[in-house]
Amino acid sequence: VIIKAEQNYKLEVMGNPFRNQITIRYSIQQTNTMQLSLFDMQGKLMAKESLLARTGSGVYNMQGVGYLPPGMYLLHAEID
């Protein structure tokens, strides 16, 4: 999955299906805090993390999601 929003940032989510972590590759034009929220298909928040996304490209591993049951999930990324 690749997400591009108004040319300000780009996200690529890797690991489908994921096991113990979700790998997020990002490219951002300005250093910002990024909030990551993982929801199940009923809208229940299953995991939440924040990171300091520095200008340029980077990779972040969202850890500790291995306990989640198999299924579909929605990853919401918000930049402050």
Side-chain angles (χ1 to χ4, degrees), residues 10-65:
K10 178 180 166 185
L11 294 176
E12 181 179 0
V13 180
M14 300 173 290
N16 187 12
F18 63 84
R19 288 184 173 70
N20 295 324
Q21 68 182 20
I22 300 169
T23 301
I24 298 130
R25 190 177 300 170
Y26 65 87
S27 178
I28 190 167
Q29 292 182 355
Q30 183 178 350
T31 298
N32 279 300
T33 301
M34 184 184 303
Q35 303 290 334
L36 301 170
S37 302
L38 187 68
F39 296 92
D40 68 11
M41 295 312 288
Q42 287 72 45
K44 181 179 177 186
L45 180 63
M46 305 302 287
K48 186 171 186 174
E49 294 186 19
S50 65
L51 69 133
L52 182 61
R54 301 197 183 272
T55 301
S57 297
V59 175
Y60 181 76
N61 293 314
M62 190 173 192
Q63 303 285 337
V65 293

Side-chain angles (χ1 to χ4, degrees), residues 64-78:
V65 293
Y67 70 93
L68 295 171
M72 291 178 51
Y73 295 90
L74 175 68
L75 181 66
H76 176 83
E78 185 174 333

